[in-house]
């Protein structure tokens, strides 16, 4: 497989296995503490970013939503509560993450709305032209092949459907660039190693963040994948970026 984007070459553990296999194993390993570290390492700001991403869909009232790389279902749960869809399907490579998500959905009383399924976003076993909205929150930089994943999301989205992607990005201006460097190379790996006990995961995650295409470059990639009306908005000095588009 040709690796077109730099983050596709970054793998958590070794150069022998595929990125997809390693990402699955990594998230299985850190599933027990993923939510804690997510909120801790973002100082809780990630909840505000997620709300903004979900609220961008409100004018479209999507009834059938697909949340790709759903992880432990935080984004799916918030979307179900704020958008009230008929159904929301969350897919992920990691059964460990999905298991945590299923417990959260049951506790929230949303089993009638949210379901989870183990799926590889490179080849979704879902029918074409199905979903009113497809979302990805903080998972797209882990795709083994970005173009392939985007084409699959476009395929399963109905004509006129909406795409919402929110992803962490590296600030480029002083002083946030320097502060982010300390955060991503010192604070995140140290806390991640102590809490998750996986010495590689929280070195891998900031490394992908730094090289993932962002802003105008990501806008161009989405257009090349076949999406229309592509726009983006940066949050909190460029720490997170929201991308929206239409099929």
């Amino acid at each position: 497989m040709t690796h077109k984007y730099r983050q596709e070459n970054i793998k958590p553990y070794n150069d022998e296995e595929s990125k997809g296999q390693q990402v699955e194993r990594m998230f299985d390993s850190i599933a027990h503490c993923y939510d804690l570290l997510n909120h801790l390492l973002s100082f809780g700001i990630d909840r505000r970013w997620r709300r903004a991403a979900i609220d961008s869909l409100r004018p479209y009232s999507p009834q059938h939503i697909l949340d790709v790389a759903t992880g432990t279902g935080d984004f799916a749960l918030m979307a179900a509560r704020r958008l009230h869809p008929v159904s929301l399907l969350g897919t992920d490579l990691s059964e460990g993450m999905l298991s945590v998500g299923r417990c959260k959905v049951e506790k929230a009383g949303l089993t009638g709305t949210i379901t989870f399924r183990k799926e590889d976003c490179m080849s979704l076993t879902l029918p074409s032209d199905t979903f009113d909205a497809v979302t990805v929150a903080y998972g797209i930089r882990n795709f083994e092949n970005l173009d392939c994943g985007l084409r699959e999301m476009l395929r399963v989205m109905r004509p006129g459907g909406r795409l919402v992607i929110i992803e962490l990005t590296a600030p480029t201006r002083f002083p946030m660039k320097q502060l982010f460097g300390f955060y991503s190379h010192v604070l995140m790996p140290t806390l991640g190693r102590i809490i998750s006990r996986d010495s590689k995961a929280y070195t891998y995650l900031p490394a992908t963040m730094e090289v993932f295409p962002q802003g105008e470059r990501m806008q161009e990639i989405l257009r090349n994948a076949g999406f229309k009306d592509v726009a983006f908005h940066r949050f909190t000095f460029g720490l997170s970026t929201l991308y929206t588009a239409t099929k």
Side-chain angles (χ1 to χ4, degrees):
M1 184 181 290
T2 301
H3 293 279
K4 189 173 180 181
Y5 309 107
R6 290 172 63 194
Q7 84 283 348
E8 294 175 351
N9 290 311
I10 299 174
K11 302 175 183 179
Y13 301 118
N14 59 64
D15 292 327
E16 286 71 47
E17 294 174 285
S18 72
K19 177 164 181 168
Q21 289 174 311
Q22 294 184 54
V23 165
E24 178 181 356
R25 190 163 83 247
M26 180 191 76
F27 281 114
D28 281 343
S29 166
I30 65 175
H32 67 286
C33 63
Y34 181 76
D35 288 337
L36 169 65
L37 274 165
N38 241 11
H39 302 317
L40 182 66
L41 288 168
S42 71
F43 307 103
I45 304 171
D46 65 305
R47 292 186 178 95
R48 190 181 359 154
W49 298 335
R50 290 168 198 266
R51 278 196 299 273
I54 289 164
D55 288 350
S56 74
L57 285 171
R58 276 188 162 173
Y60 307 96
S61 302
Q63 295 303 296
H64 302 283
I65 300 173
L66 173 65
D67 186 39
V68 175
T70 196
T72 62
D74 261 12
F75 194 83
L77 280 157
M78 188 181 284
R81 287 169 174 148
R82 296 181 77 82
L83 299 174
H84 309 291
V86 172
S87 68
L88 193 155
L89 173 63
T91 64
D92 201 277
L93 272 176
S94 168
E95 188 57 51
M97 298 283 273
L98 292 173
S99 179
V100 174
R102 289 187 186 102
C103 292
K104 288 159 65 173
V105 166
E106 187 172 355
K107 187 177 179 181
L110 287 168
T111 52
T113 301
I114 302 174
T115 55
F116 291 125
R117 186 190 302 182
K118 183 175 179 179
E119 289 271 353
D120 185 346
C121 61
M122 299 297 103
S123 54
L124 295 166
T125 61
L126 300 169
S128 301
D129 305 322
T130 299
F131 297 96
D132 302 314
V134 177
T135 62
V136 192
Y138 306 111
I140 199 163
R141 70 186 190 280
N142 298 313
F143 283 16
E144 186 165 350
N145 184 295
L146 179 58
D147 290 333
C148 180
L150 290 173
R151 286 194 299 270
E152 273 294 272
M153 291 191 290
L154 183 71
R155 178 185 68 78
V156 301
M157 190 184 300
R158 68 164 181 80
R162 295 288 295 178
L163 175 72
V164 167
I165 296 169
I166 189 159
E167 188 52 85
L168 295 168
T169 42
T172 57
R173 295 183 179 180
F174 178 86
M176 288 303 295
K177 180 179 180 180
Q178 287 70 23
L179 290 170
F180 177 79
F182 171 79
Y183 165 84
S184 62
H185 293 286
V186 179
L187 184 62
M188 185 184 286
T190 302
L191 282 176
R193 183 174 62 251
I194 292 168
I195 296 174
S196 74
R197 298 178 184 173
D198 186 320
S199 61
K200 301 287 189 180
Y202 286 87
T203 300
Y204 159 81
L205 290 168
T208 56
M209 200 189 317
E210 289 177 351
V211 300
F212 187 76
Q214 53 183 304
E216 290 81 1
R217 178 69 181 116
M218 185 61 180
Q219 191 174 36
E220 178 188 1
I221 290 166
L222 288 164
R223 285 180 181 139
N224 289 341
F227 290 98
K228 309 296 182 186
D229 306 319
V230 183
F232 68 92
H233 176 79
R234 292 187 174 98
F235 296 107
T236 319
F237 308 104
L239 286 172
S240 188
T241 305
L242 170 67
Y243 301 91
T244 58
T246 307
K247 177 172 177 177

